[in-house]
Amino acid sequence: GNLFLKHRAFYDIDDVDLQKLGLIETDVERVILDYSTRMAQTIERARYFGRNQYEFRERFLNPIAKELEGVSPEGFTEKELFDGLLKVYKATTGLDFSPPPNKAVGTLTDVIKVTQQMAHLPFATLSSLTEPFIALSRADITDTNAFVKEFAIAGGKQIRKSFGRLFDRMKAITGKDIRMFRELDDEAFFDVYQLGVATENAMIDRIAGMYGEGLQSGRARNISNWFFNVNLLQPWTQAVQMGAYRFSHQKIIRTLGELHDGTNFYGINLTAKGRQRRVDQLHQIGLDSEQALFNYRKYIDEDGIFNEALFRQSEFFDSEVSPASALFSKEIILNPSASEANKPLWFNTWWGQVMVQFAGYPTAFNNTVLKGMVRSTVRDPAANIPKVLAATTMMTGIATITNAIRSEGRS
């Protein structure tokens, strides 16, 4: 069972004595946060993989073993495969983690990570200016207007939210009453927050995965969070992920419209290959094309006019399209954390987090974005090579300019 659900082992020892030894947490907020976090992890782990490794073996490993009976390649060992899968399961679900051996080592690693962040990353936001173009590499030319519009809207909303919170903090300092989470009055923020997109906690986790995961002390985490707020990396990342989410909505609706009409944006009939490419694009973000088309057609009236507003209010849109868009946005704003399983497992050890502190994001980028670009060009060179070349050219150009700014023109 989970330790946070068990009765205390030292029930015969007086609480006062345990408090003197620092063995009882008296911060109610921290206790509630720890409980809710661990309970959420347990619920989601049981939902998708099984509560423990025995359930995981029953639900996944045993069926895999049956499928491999009689078809295993020469030199293949079932034990080696299952051991590897169990390692991934434990690492990604939080059952297996590698804390420092003692408090002194934990404090030292925190100091190293935070000082390295502050020494090397004051202009980290400049390096992230190319991130929106990752979405462009997965878009068609016809998506350009939607791309510009949705990212501009997301950027504007995040700027207003950031300034609003700044003014609220100033009011709080003077003793005036303020209303928390006022951005939830905006339907756009309410929508993305429901799916864990562009939230502060999600961005903190993502930045930690990029530049220093596994900070042990609350003070080190607070300093790190403050630093990335001051250099604007956190609000910028929120804006990019929100823009990618909104852009994906537009791209999905446009793709479904073309599949329904059998023509592309310019009115040219889709070839079998062109139709299959659109089906694959939907499948990559978890949408079944047939089911999506069935629901899309419900909102076409007798005159053949599609009612987008009603479609966006449908149950299918909330339960299928929005989660698919959230997945798309999280592939644009990569989170190189242990739970995403997009980097080697040894990167998650306490010593690996120090030795390769800044290597997590490049590794995840190679394993996700670059491999995705190669995969798309191999599947459909004519359609995807121009998109990939355009995106990489713009990303390289912006990276060159930002490097020149950071190095005062020396790069």
Side-chain angles (χ1 to χ4, degrees), residues 97-100 109-110 112-114 116-117 208-216 336-338 343-360:
F97 59 97
S98 172
T109 58
D110 281 356
I112 293 173
K113 291 175 187 176
V114 173
Q116 289 295 299
Q117 289 174 354
M210 289 173 65
Y211 301 127
E213 194 174 15
L215 292 174
Q216 300 299 307
S337 65
K343 60 184 180 181
L345 294 181
W346 69 269
F347 276 38
N348 303 318
T349 61
W350 70 268
W351 50 270
Q353 291 168 357
V354 175
M355 292 180 62
V356 290
Q357 181 176 352
F358 299 144

Side-chain angles (χ1 to χ4, degrees), residues 42-56:
T42 300
I43 292 172
E44 292 303 297
R45 181 169 62 244
R47 176 184 174 189
Y48 290 105
F49 303 106
R51 184 175 178 180
N52 51 46
Q53 61 181 340
Y54 304 105
E55 289 187 13
F56 179 69

Side-chain angles (χ1 to χ4, degrees), residues 17 19 30 50 52 61 65 94 98 100 103 135 137 172 208 220 234 239 254-255 265 268 272 290 300 376-377 381 398:
D17 295 328
Q19 288 178 6
R30 182 172 296 179
N52 51 46
L61 299 189
S98 172
K103 186 175 181 180
S137 70
Q234 183 173 316
R254 192 265 305 167
T255 302
F265 181 79
I268 301 173
E290 294 299 325
I300 298 176
S376 65
T377 56
I398 293 176

Side-chain angles (χ1 to χ4, degrees), residues 369-386:
V369 177
L370 293 187
K371 286 183 179 180
M373 288 181 176
V374 172
R375 190 182 305 113
S376 65
T377 56
V378 170
R379 286 178 176 175
D380 194 345
N384 292 316
I385 286 179

Side-chain angles (χ1 to χ4, degrees), residues 3 24 96 200 234 273 364 385:
L3 292 177
I24 292 182
D96 185 20
E200 279 79 2
Q234 183 173 316
K273 192 172 184 178
I385 286 179

Side-chain angles (χ1 to χ4, degrees), residues 27-40 201:
D27 187 332
V28 176
E29 181 179 359
R30 182 172 296 179
V31 171
I32 293 174
L33 179 61
D34 181 65
Y35 173 81
S36 60
T37 300
R38 290 175 181 269
M39 180 59 79
N201 284 343

